[in-house]
Amino acid sequence: MKRNEVNRNELSPMMKQYMEIKDQYEHELLFYRLGDFYELFFEDGETASRELELTLTGKNAGLETRIPMCGVPFHSVNPYIEKLVMKGYKVALCEQLENPKETKGMVKRGVVQVISKGTMIDSDLLPEQENHYIASIMDYTYIYVLCYADIRTGTLCVMAIPHSKEKLMSEILNLGILEVILKDNNDLELISLLKGTYHIEVSYEENSLKEEYAHLYENIEEEHLKMSIKHLLYYLVVRELKDLSHMSPATIVFPDDYLEMDVHTVRNLELMETLRLKERTYSLIWLIDKCKTSMGSRKLKKWLMNPLKNKTLIEDRYNKIDVLNTEFILKERLREALYNVYDIERICGKLACGNLNARDLLQLKNSLKYLPEIKEISQDLKFNFEINTHPDIYDLLEKAIYENPPITLKEGYLIKEGYHSELDELKQIRSGGKSFIADFENKLKEQTKIKNLKVGYNKVFGYFIEITKGQINLVNPDLHWERRQTLTNCERFISPELKEKEALILNAEEKIIELEYNLFIEVKNKIKETLMELKATAEILSELDALSSLAVCAEEYHFVRPTLNENHIIDIKEGRHPVIEKVNNFQYVNNDCSMDASINTLLITGPNMSGKSTYMRQLAVIIILAQMGSFVPASKANLPIIDKIFTRIGASDDLVSGESTFMVEMKEAKNAICNATENSLILFDELGRGTATYDGMSLAKAILEYISKHIRCKTLFSTHYHELTELERTIGSIKNIHVSAKEENGTITFLHKIKTGAVDKSYGIHVARLAGMPEELLNRADEILSYYESKSKKKKNEEDNIQLTIAFTEEKECDVLQEKLKEIDPLRLTPMEAINKLYELKELTK
């Protein structure tokens, strides 16, 4: 049964209310609160039962047939919501806005929030070490404006991007944006890229927020940036009903302030995840993330993805790392203190969005406990951080919040004794109920002389006085007892005093829960007033954590402080690739990389598996680490400030868009050639191998010449086209280097050592032997190789002889013709003699 097939006049009042609310949220799955369950009806119920593997049942709704329905318990709803949202659905939570016990008739209900992939606050499916962004894209025909926010941490940023879908997608993918809001669905190419290729959630919204939250963008003058912020805010505030009181004012991101890396570079260098398994393990961030807090991990990732170009800022981070490693005892104390700090940024987000529980406040209190020590250590290190220790908040939480609270807020045990007098009285009544009953029973026995009198309780009749049939005559009418229940062997009564106490005891529990909830909300609101101060503290703690992580890496991995120059010089001694060095068990072979101001290109030759690609990645990783403010894996490093890094490493077809390996190669090469400056770094690994040999070699040579002539940036170019090594003779800025290998008795040993000069031999068959190819196949390959090599040499000799013969013959013929021409005087020839002379000359050429 479909929702639009129903006659609404026949529906029950509750289902009419559901239909009215659902009409406002057509595209969301509506979780409709009924008592202790969220229920979904009609198509929503069918979808949820299928996706969550729940039983689809029916519900009476006033119609002749039952409507489709499934439900989940309200106290464990989060895992179900997460699963649906990660599958691309949006969920609208419809809550009871009134207490059913205090309401006559239909309980008022309404949607309190909409949850989508970019706005999940609590999720075990999304890693805490990363930001989870939702973004708005505005197309102004000459630029794109990208505004992105992380609801969990309160981050809000906006940036202008050149009108290039490649650059826009690089920013989106590098940021890890989960959901994008567009004004309309006109740009089909962009929508296809977002949804089809990269599986990013896309929503549409035309409107922009008018006045609300103006403080978030009042510091921004550019109107197009403001409009993008307002567009995103409308979606979050109006469409998804989010409280953004924890949001920091928008920050304008200027891409030119940072080292530019497109998505291919980030992927090829395995900064965030490995190429093969797409996992964080064995990536560069995995290696350098020694942070003690999730806040620090997010900060470190931000630094890695946005290396600096400002030398002063980079040197400031170097200085702090130096201090931390010099004051190593203070560094360890700092890290121990940070280990006890929870994710204050996320707690602030939960505080604003309304789903904070008492355990979150307990985490906040335990975090604040260590702030005085962290502040003292920071001052001892002479760092320029002003850390607010928030003593008022700590004292409030220490006095108010129970040490072991439940997850939900309607079970009691939230507020400590001594915080509120009325609550303490209610708790005394609750705890004193049992002792009161015992005392009251003894008192009645003495008063009535009925020895087998009992005071009992059941859920149906409440508290009662029980007298056996044989003792009924001892009950004095002056006691004013009321008969409550008659049983076979006894009678049960209630006295005025017991009735009064019963009301107190039975209502105490309910009153305690309600009062504790209200007191908890008061405490939460008091802390909410200091939200921005808490966020500022979290920002400082995240930076301290990231710096301490880099200091630990420098010490543990033997990194050194690089020197930054403005002379376009790269001089690395004993450089290493830190991840490979860490992961592999064998001794890592370090290598120098030297490029003075006159050398722009290193042309790298050598066998497969010898380490050419590693050597290229190694240089890029060292530069990125240096510009993010980290020490680097080398014994010495003198580096320039690089503005952009472009890579073309590895071969892969783009099956989604139907592009071949060679097309992908050429597109990535074009991107580098068209956007690089003289301060950029280009890494081309075996460019041109995706097409025919002569095509590939010709393109590779032309690209090398173009880079050397027009761009003059630092370039590492590995190749198997040994003919390219001749360029060193004609282009002074190109230098040949090779990765050495040792061949003995038909076997090859890779030395992984970079040496000056070129090699003129490939070792493909040797590599095939190492891979375990059948020996018969390898022997046949040797025979074929020998044949082609001898044929190639013979052909080359023949071509040389032919060229010499042709050259000699042409030279001899030219001499004869010249002599004949000298003998002719055109002014003395008759027309007939001229024709005859011309005929003789033509015969000579034959």
Side-chain angles (χ1 to χ4, degrees), residues 329-369:
I329 295 176
L330 289 175
K331 178 183 71 177
E332 289 308 312
R333 280 184 56 203
L334 174 64
R335 289 176 60 75
E336 287 172 10
L338 287 168
Y339 179 75
N340 294 287
V341 174
Y342 290 85
D343 195 338
I344 297 176
E345 281 183 332
R346 281 195 63 196
I347 292 173
C348 289
K350 294 171 80 171
L351 189 63
C353 295
N355 55 351
L356 187 87
N357 60 39
R359 294 187 182 182
D360 294 319
L361 288 187
L362 205 60
Q363 289 180 353
L364 179 60
K365 185 194 81 172
N366 293 335
S367 300
L368 299 182
K369 179 181 177 181

Side-chain angles (χ1 to χ4, degrees), residues 126-356:
L126 297 171
E128 293 183 359
Q129 300 94 336
E130 298 183 12
N131 287 101
H132 307 136
Y133 291 119
I134 181 171
S136 158
I137 300 174
M138 301 281 275
D139 186 349
Y140 288 96
T141 66
Y142 64 99
I143 57 167
Y144 289 109
V145 176
L146 181 70
C147 177
Y148 54 95
D150 184 348
I151 302 296
R152 305 198 326 169
T153 63
T155 305
L156 180 63
C157 299
V158 64
M159 65 192 303
I161 300 170
H163 203 265
S164 160
K165 285 190 173 66
E166 288 181 5
K167 292 192 175 183
L168 176 64
M169 289 308 305
S170 283
E171 290 293 344
I172 290 172
L173 295 172
N174 287 348
L175 287 165
I177 290 170
L178 300 172
E179 184 178 0
V180 165
I181 317 302
L182 301 176
K183 289 278 280 187
D184 50 51
N185 59 357
N186 293 337
D187 194 337
L188 298 180
E189 182 186 355
L190 179 59
I191 294 168
S192 175
L193 277 173
L194 291 166
K195 295 179 71 173
T197 306
Y198 297 109
H199 309 293
I200 296 170
E201 201 67 31
V202 176
S203 302
Y204 306 98
E205 180 54 58
E206 296 180 358
N207 300 304
S208 299
L209 205 62
K210 301 300 181 186
E211 301 299 331
E212 200 174 355
Y213 294 107
H215 67 280
L216 295 179
Y217 52 81
E218 63 186 2
N219 61 324
I220 295 176
E221 297 180 0
E222 295 84 347
E223 194 60 35
H224 57 283
L225 300 183
K226 276 187 181 181
M227 286 304 299
S228 184
I229 297 169
K230 290 179 180 179
H231 180 236
L232 180 59
L233 291 180
Y234 184 92
Y235 182 83
L236 294 174
V237 175
V238 178
R239 289 280 297 276
E240 300 218 336
L241 307 173
K242 302 300 181 187
D243 180 352
L244 303 183
S245 57
H246 67 302
M247 279 284 180
S248 301
T251 302
I252 302 177
V253 177
F254 298 99
D256 288 343
D257 291 345
Y258 305 100
L259 167 59
E260 182 182 318
M261 300 179 290
D262 62 17
V263 65
H264 307 296
T265 299
V266 173
R267 185 189 67 220
N268 290 333
L269 297 178
E270 299 183 309
L271 300 185
M272 293 295 124
E273 62 182 20
T274 56
L275 277 168
R276 180 174 294 180
L277 299 177
K278 308 294 182 187
E279 293 179 351
R280 191 175 192 265
T281 305
Y282 304 138
S283 66
L284 184 59
I285 190 67
W286 164 81
L287 182 83
I288 65 172
D289 187 356
K290 306 288 184 183
C291 294
K292 296 294 185 181
T293 69
S294 299
M295 300 181 291
S297 294
R298 290 193 294 269
K299 176 67 73 176
L300 194 68
K301 180 188 175 183
K302 183 178 179 182
W303 286 358
L304 179 58
M305 294 299 291
N306 298 280
L308 298 167
K309 287 160 61 176
N310 186 309
K311 186 177 178 181
T312 304
L313 297 177
I314 298 171
E315 294 280 2
D316 181 60
R317 289 182 192 169
Y318 292 166
N319 294 337
K320 288 184 169 70
I321 294 171
D322 262 336
V323 171
L324 284 165
N325 281 338
T326 302
E327 302 289 345
F328 55 90
I329 295 176
L330 289 175
K331 178 183 71 177
E332 289 308 312
R333 280 184 56 203
L334 174 64
R335 289 176 60 75
E336 287 172 10
L338 287 168
Y339 179 75
N340 294 287
V341 174
Y342 290 85
D343 195 338
I344 297 176
E345 281 183 332
R346 281 195 63 196
I347 292 173
C348 289
K350 294 171 80 171
L351 189 63
C353 295
N355 55 351
L356 187 87

Side-chain angles (χ1 to χ4, degrees), residues 527-594:
I527 297 171
K528 196 172 178 180
E529 293 171 5
T530 65
L531 206 54
M532 302 317 292
E533 290 89 339
L534 280 171
K535 282 197 64 184
T537 300
E539 177 71 16
I540 294 170
L541 294 178
S542 68
E543 191 162 340
L544 277 171
D545 198 11
L547 286 167
S548 70
S549 176
L550 294 178
V552 169
C553 290
E555 184 178 30
E556 183 178 334
Y557 304 138
H558 308 291
F559 289 1
V560 298
R561 176 172 178 158
T563 302
L564 302 177
N565 69 74
E566 299 176 0
N567 303 320
H568 214 51
I569 294 170
I570 294 177
D571 185 17
I572 299 170
K573 302 297 182 187
E574 298 179 347
R576 315 183 303 276
H577 192 296
V579 178
I580 296 175
E581 181 185 32
K582 172 72 174 177
V583 172
N584 288 334
N585 295 322
F586 58 82
Q587 183 69 32
Y588 187 89
V589 178
N590 55 55
N591 275 299
D592 298 349
C593 182
S594 181

Side-chain angles (χ1 to χ4, degrees), residues 597-608:
S598 65
I599 299 297
N600 291 329
T601 303
L602 294 181
L603 188 58
I604 312 168
T605 49
N608 290 316

Side-chain angles (χ1 to χ4, degrees), residues 1 14-15 18 30 32 34 37-50 54-61 66-72:
M1 182 185 296
M14 186 274 291
M15 284 308 299
Y18 166 83
L30 183 64
Y32 187 75
L34 285 171
F37 282 82
Y38 287 105
E39 296 186 357
L40 298 96
F41 304 110
F42 298 107
E43 295 93 330
D44 285 2
E46 293 171 353
T47 300
S49 67
R50 181 182 67 251
L54 299 173
T55 302
L56 184 68
T57 61
K59 186 177 182 70
N60 293 321
R66 290 157 64 88
I67 64 171
M69 183 271 284
C70 75
V72 297

